[in-house]
Amino acid sequence: MLDIKSIIQSSIDVKYELINSSIHEIKKASEMLLSAAKLNKKIIWCGNGGSAADSQHMAAELMGGLRDHNRPPIYSIALTTDTSFITAWANDTSFDTIFSRQIEAIGNPGDVLVAISTSGNSKNVINAIKIAKDKKLNIVILTGKSGGKMKLLGDVSIFIPSDDTQRIQEGHLLVEHILCEYVEEGFLSNL
């Protein structure tokens, strides 16, 4: 029988470990996103599955507003939302380049790519990171404990201290909301 209490405790334990392991990286990533927002640079999100949903969720939070819907929008986009492009490109060429192709088109120096992968091994996210580096974007990595192949590819890497996909995703959501809250608060104080 599933032990609900132990699942909740496991989630709490991961977040407690996150306090001890990643505060500096979360702050650094937050400052990177805020700097981009102040310069009207893009904050670009990508990932697969639950990470795709997170990408869309966070781009919407920055564009629309977390707590203040009257503030100016922050330029943010998820590369997971154009289903016509994604399905055509994956069908005609390769699923491994659905994000990198979009970065080629819209990425500019000073933009920030937030690359999300619980395993750190998503080929299409890794390919997006490579193109983003070539185009001089700043890169924030969100992944799990091991970091996978993405481990050393970012300007800032935030590792959720777990090997359990669900706990990693819960940690990602917490970090992503912190990033967005930090950006919104800093952006509003600059107006």
Side-chain angles (χ1 to χ4, degrees):
M1 184 59 105
L2 194 65
D3 183 355
I4 295 170
K5 184 176 179 181
S6 71
I7 292 171
I8 294 170
Q9 187 60 57
S10 174
S11 184
I12 291 167
D13 293 345
V14 168
K15 291 175 179 86
Y16 186 78
E17 285 184 54
L18 191 61
I19 291 170
N20 296 319
S21 66
S22 299
I23 296 296
H24 175 74
E25 290 79 11
I26 294 169
K27 174 113 169 137
K28 188 175 175 185
S30 297
E31 291 170 350
M32 185 182 293
L33 269 65
L34 177 58
S35 293
K38 286 181 176 180
L39 295 171
N40 200 35
K41 298 291 184 177
K42 288 183 290 302
I43 299 171
I44 304 167
W45 306 78
C46 72
N48 297 292
S51 302
D54 282 5
S55 296
Q56 293 169 213
H57 180 177
M58 295 307 131
E61 297 285 29
L62 290 178
M63 187 74 73
L66 283 158
R67 293 190 172 92
D68 185 347
H69 299 294
N70 295 314
R71 68 156 167 80
I74 294 169
Y75 197 175
S76 189
I77 186 169
L79 300 181
T80 56
T81 57
D82 188 344
T83 54
S84 295
F85 170 75
I86 290 169
T87 56
W89 188 259
N91 185 60
D92 295 344
T93 62
S94 170
F95 186 74
D96 291 345
T97 56
I98 59 169
F99 300 137
S100 57
R101 181 64 170 186
Q102 291 179 80
I103 294 289
E104 283 183 89
I106 68 167
N108 294 308
D111 291 344
V112 178
L113 173 64
V114 182
I116 311 168
S117 171
T118 57
S119 69
N121 294 319
S122 302
K123 282 180 127 179
N124 55 8
V125 177
I126 292 168
N127 288 333
I129 293 167
K130 290 175 181 175
I131 296 298
K133 281 180 174 280
D134 290 346
K135 295 198 74 178
K136 309 274 190 272
L137 279 71
N138 296 304
I139 300 160
V140 174
I141 303 287
L142 285 173
T143 188
K145 187 177 191 175
S146 75
K149 293 176 183 174
M150 290 169 49
K151 185 174 191 168
L152 302 175
L153 298 180
D155 297 299
V156 181
S157 295
I158 300 167
F159 307 104
I160 304 303
S162 179
D163 295 315
D164 183 306
T165 299
Q166 286 75 26
R167 302 299 82 82
I168 295 168
Q169 289 174 329
E170 292 161 3
H172 282 174
L173 185 59
L174 174 62
V175 170
E176 292 155 358
H177 270 132
I178 292 168
L179 296 175
C180 290
E181 287 182 54
Y182 189 97
V183 170
E184 182 169 271
E185 183 177 306
F187 188 75
L188 286 169
S189 68
N190 200 45
L191 295 178

